[in-house]
CSV table of all heavy atoms in Angstrom, one decimal:
chain,number,residue,atom,x,y,z
A,1,THR,N,0.9,-1.2,0.0
A,1,THR,CA,0.0,0.0,0.0
A,1,THR,C,0.9,1.3,0.0
A,1,THR,O,0.6,2.2,-0.8
A,1,THR,CB,-0.9,0.0,1.2
A,1,THR,OG1,-1.7,-1.1,1.2
A,1,THR,CG2,-1.8,1.3,1.3
A,2,ARG,N,1.9,1.2,0.8
A,2,ARG,CA,2.8,2.3,0.9
A,2,ARG,C,3.5,2.6,-0.5
A,2,ARG,O,3.5,3.7,-0.9
A,2,ARG,CB,3.9,2.0,1.9
A,2,ARG,CG,4.9,3.2,2.1
A,2,ARG,CD,5.9,2.9,3.1
A,2,ARG,NE,6.6,4.1,3.6
A,2,ARG,CZ,6.2,5.0,4.4
A,2,ARG,NH1,5.0,4.8,5.0
A,2,ARG,NH2,6.9,6.1,4.6
A,3,ARG,N,3.9,1.6,-1.2
A,3,ARG,CA,4.7,1.7,-2.5
A,3,ARG,C,3.5,2.2,-3.6
A,3,ARG,O,3.8,3.1,-4.4
A,3,ARG,CB,5.1,0.3,-3.0
A,3,ARG,CG,6.5,0.0,-2.3
A,3,ARG,CD,7.1,-1.2,-2.9
A,3,ARG,NE,6.6,-2.5,-2.4
A,3,ARG,CZ,6.9,-2.9,-1.1
A,3,ARG,NH1,7.5,-2.2,-0.3
A,3,ARG,NH2,6.4,-4.1,-0.8
A,4,TRP,N,2.2,1.7,-3.5
A,4,TRP,CA,1.2,2.2,-4.3
A,4,TRP,C,0.9,3.7,-4.2
A,4,TRP,O,0.9,4.4,-5.2
A,4,TRP,CB,-0.1,1.4,-4.2
A,4,TRP,CG,-1.1,1.8,-5.2
A,4,TRP,CD1,-1.2,1.4,-6.5
A,4,TRP,CD2,-2.2,2.7,-4.9
A,4,TRP,NE1,-2.3,2.0,-7.1
A,4,TRP,CE2,-2.9,2.8,-6.0
A,4,TRP,CE3,-2.7,3.4,-3.8
A,4,TRP,CZ2,-4.0,3.5,-6.1
A,4,TRP,CZ3,-3.8,4.1,-3.9
A,4,TRP,CH2,-4.5,4.2,-5.0
A,5,ILE,N,0.8,4.1,-2.9
A,5,ILE,CA,0.5,5.6,-2.6
A,5,ILE,C,1.7,6.5,-3.2
A,5,ILE,O,1.5,7.5,-3.7
A,5,ILE,CB,0.3,5.7,-1.1
A,5,ILE,CG1,-1.0,5.1,-0.6
A,5,ILE,CG2,0.4,7.2,-0.7
A,5,ILE,CD1,-2.2,5.8,-1.2
A,6,GLU,N,2.9,5.9,-2.8
A,6,GLU,CA,4.2,6.8,-3.2
A,6,GLU,C,4.2,6.8,-4.8
A,6,GLU,O,4.3,8.0,-5.3
A,6,GLU,CB,5.3,6.1,-2.8
A,6,GLU,CG,5.6,6.3,-1.3
A,6,GLU,CD,6.7,5.4,-0.8
A,6,GLU,OE1,7.2,4.4,-1.4
A,6,GLU,OE2,7.3,5.8,0.3
A,7,GLY,N,3.8,5.8,-5.4
A,7,GLY,CA,3.8,5.9,-6.9
A,7,GLY,C,2.7,6.7,-7.4
A,7,GLY,O,3.0,7.5,-8.4
A,8,ALA,N,1.5,6.6,-6.9
A,8,ALA,CA,0.3,7.5,-7.3
A,8,ALA,C,0.6,8.9,-7.0
A,8,ALA,O,0.4,9.8,-7.9
A,8,ALA,CB,-0.9,7.1,-6.7
A,9,CYS,N,1.1,9.2,-5.9
A,9,CYS,CA,1.4,10.6,-5.5
A,9,CYS,C,2.5,11.2,-6.3
A,9,CYS,O,2.5,12.4,-6.7
A,9,CYS,CB,1.7,10.7,-4.0
A,9,CYS,SG,0.3,10.5,-3.0
A,10,ASP,N,3.6,10.4,-6.6
A,10,ASP,CA,4.7,10.9,-7.5
A,10,ASP,C,4.1,11.2,-8.8
A,10,ASP,O,4.4,12.3,-9.5
A,10,ASP,CB,5.7,9.9,-7.6
A,10,ASP,CG,6.7,9.8,-6.4
A,10,ASP,OD1,6.6,10.7,-5.6
A,10,ASP,OD2,7.5,8.9,-6.3
A,11,ALA,N,3.2,10.3,-9.4
A,11,ALA,CA,2.7,10.5,-10.8
A,11,ALA,C,1.9,11.8,-10.8
A,11,ALA,O,1.7,12.5,-11.8
A,11,ALA,CB,1.8,9.3,-11.1
A,12,LEU,N,1.1,12.1,-9.7
A,12,LEU,CA,0.2,13.2,-9.7
A,12,LEU,C,0.9,14.5,-9.1
A,12,LEU,O,0.2,15.5,-8.9
A,12,LEU,CB,-1.0,12.9,-8.8
A,12,LEU,CG,-1.9,11.7,-9.4
A,12,LEU,CD1,-2.9,11.3,-8.3
A,12,LEU,CD2,-2.5,12.1,-10.7
A,13,ALA,N,2.1,14.3,-8.7
A,13,ALA,CA,2.8,15.4,-8.1
A,13,ALA,C,2.2,16.1,-6.9
A,13,ALA,O,2.0,17.3,-6.7
A,13,ALA,CB,3.2,16.6,-9.2
A,14,VAL,N,1.7,15.1,-5.9
A,14,VAL,CA,1.2,15.6,-4.7
A,14,VAL,C,1.8,15.1,-3.5
A,14,VAL,O,2.5,14.0,-3.7
A,14,VAL,CB,-0.5,15.2,-4.6
A,14,VAL,CG1,-1.3,15.8,-5.8
A,14,VAL,CG2,-0.6,13.7,-4.7
A,15,ASP,N,1.6,15.6,-2.4
A,15,ASP,CA,2.3,15.2,-1.1
A,15,ASP,C,1.8,14.0,-0.6
A,15,ASP,O,0.6,13.9,-0.3
A,15,ASP,CB,2.3,16.3,-0.1
A,15,ASP,CG,3.0,16.0,1.1
A,15,ASP,OD1,3.9,15.1,1.2
A,15,ASP,OD2,2.7,16.7,2.2
A,16,ALA,N,2.5,12.9,-0.5
A,16,ALA,CA,2.0,11.6,0.1
A,16,ALA,C,2.1,11.5,1.6
A,16,ALA,O,1.6,10.5,2.1
A,16,ALA,CB,2.9,10.4,-0.5
A,17,THR,N,2.7,12.5,2.2
A,17,THR,CA,2.8,12.5,3.7
A,17,THR,C,1.7,12.1,4.5
A,17,THR,O,1.8,11.1,5.5
A,17,THR,CB,3.5,13.8,4.2
A,17,THR,OG1,4.7,14.0,3.5
A,17,THR,CG2,3.8,13.7,5.6
A,18,PRO,N,0.6,12.8,4.3
A,18,PRO,CA,-0.7,12.4,5.2
A,18,PRO,C,-1.1,11.0,5.0
A,18,PRO,O,-1.3,10.2,6.0
A,18,PRO,CB,-1.7,13.3,4.6
A,18,PRO,CG,-1.0,14.5,4.0
A,18,PRO,CD,0.2,13.9,3.5
A,19,ALA,N,-1.0,10.3,3.8
A,19,ALA,CA,-1.4,9.0,3.6
A,19,ALA,C,-0.4,8.1,4.1
A,19,ALA,O,-0.7,7.1,4.7
A,19,ALA,CB,-1.7,8.7,2.2
A,20,LEU,N,0.9,8.4,4.0
A,20,LEU,CA,2.0,7.6,4.5
A,20,LEU,C,2.0,7.5,6.0
A,20,LEU,O,2.2,6.4,6.6
A,20,LEU,CB,3.4,8.0,4.0
A,20,LEU,CG,3.5,7.9,2.5
A,20,LEU,CD1,4.9,8.4,2.1
A,20,LEU,CD2,3.3,6.5,2.0
A,21,ASN,N,1.6,8.6,6.7
A,21,ASN,CA,1.4,8.7,8.1
A,21,ASN,C,0.4,7.9,8.6
A,21,ASN,O,0.5,7.3,9.6
A,21,ASN,CB,1.3,10.1,8.7
A,21,ASN,CG,2.5,11.0,8.5
A,21,ASN,OD1,3.6,10.5,8.3
A,21,ASN,ND2,2.3,12.3,8.5
A,22,ASP,N,-0.8,7.8,7.8
A,22,ASP,CA,-1.8,7.0,8.2
A,22,ASP,C,-1.5,5.5,8.1
A,22,ASP,O,-1.8,4.7,9.0
A,22,ASP,CB,-3.0,7.3,7.2
A,22,ASP,CG,-4.3,6.5,7.5
A,22,ASP,OD1,-4.6,6.5,8.9
A,22,ASP,OD2,-4.9,5.8,6.8
A,23,ILE,N,-0.7,5.1,7.1
A,23,ILE,CA,-0.2,3.7,6.9
A,23,ILE,C,0.6,3.4,8.1
A,23,ILE,O,0.6,2.3,8.6
A,23,ILE,CB,0.4,3.5,5.6
A,23,ILE,CG1,-0.6,3.7,4.4
A,23,ILE,CG2,1.2,2.1,5.6
A,23,ILE,CD1,0.1,3.8,3.1
A,24,ASP,N,1.6,4.3,8.5
A,24,ASP,CA,2.5,4.1,9.6
A,24,ASP,C,1.7,3.9,10.9
A,24,ASP,O,2.0,3.0,11.7
A,24,ASP,CB,3.5,5.2,9.7
A,24,ASP,CG,4.5,5.2,8.5
A,24,ASP,OD1,4.6,4.1,7.9
A,24,ASP,OD2,5.1,6.1,8.4
A,25,ARG,N,0.7,4.7,11.2
A,25,ARG,CA,-0.2,4.5,12.3
A,25,ARG,C,-0.9,3.1,12.4
A,25,ARG,O,-0.8,2.5,13.4
A,25,ARG,CB,-1.2,5.6,12.4
A,25,ARG,CG,-0.7,6.9,13.0
A,25,ARG,CD,-1.8,7.8,13.3
A,25,ARG,NE,-2.6,8.2,12.1
A,25,ARG,CZ,-2.3,9.1,11.2
A,25,ARG,NH1,-1.2,9.8,11.5
A,25,ARG,NH2,-3.0,9.5,10.3
């Protein structure tokens, strides 16, 4: 899930931090 979010956010040029923090929690 983390890899998918990072890839999607990179492709869309948006900050993945909030979603990655949620995954970490």
